[in-house]
């Protein structure tokens, strides 16, 4: 896979393609985003295991807002 270490090919590359297919994205895009997240030290991918190092920063980057425990999901939904 271009831009990835040689040992990241093989079964790992197949998993990335499967993830891309499941998300409706290209494998190139998934690889690019994973590389960018690694460069920001938000995650690592080694031996087929993805480790998130800074969940709050990853959530902020994604614009993700956690629901309070016991919170009403309707209060966080967008109007149609």
């Amino acid at each position: 896979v271009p831009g990835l270490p040689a040992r990241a090919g093989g079964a790992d590359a197949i998993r990335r393609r499967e993830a891309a297919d499941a998300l409706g994205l290209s494998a190139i895009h998934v690889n690019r985003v994973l590389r960018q997240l690694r460069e920001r030290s938000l995650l690592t991918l080694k031996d087929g295991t993805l480790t998130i190092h800074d969940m709050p920063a990853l959530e902020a980057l994604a614009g993700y807002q956690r629901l309070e425990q016991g919170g009403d999901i309707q209060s966080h939904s967008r109007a149609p």
Side-chain angles (χ1 to χ4, degrees):
V1 177
L4 293 175
R7 69 179 189 192
D12 187 47
I14 292 169
R15 285 187 211 114
R16 290 175 195 227
R17 269 188 249 122
E18 290 170 351
D21 286 344
L23 295 168
L25 302 169
S26 71
I28 293 169
H29 182 71
V30 169
N31 287 332
R32 183 181 307 129
V33 169
L34 287 172
R35 178 180 44 81
Q36 291 170 350
L37 295 174
R38 284 193 313 265
E39 289 171 354
R40 291 178 180 219
S41 299
L42 295 177
L43 59 80
T44 55
L45 183 60
K46 184 175 180 180
D47 299 326
T49 300
L50 186 135
T51 303
I52 298 172
H53 300 290
D54 191 345
M55 182 61 85
L58 186 60
E59 290 172 349
L61 180 65
Y64 179 75
Q65 185 178 23
R66 286 181 179 254
L67 295 175
E68 298 288 330
Q69 268 197 316
D72 181 7
I73 195 164
Q74 296 299 322
S75 65
H76 295 280
S77 64
R78 293 185 178 151

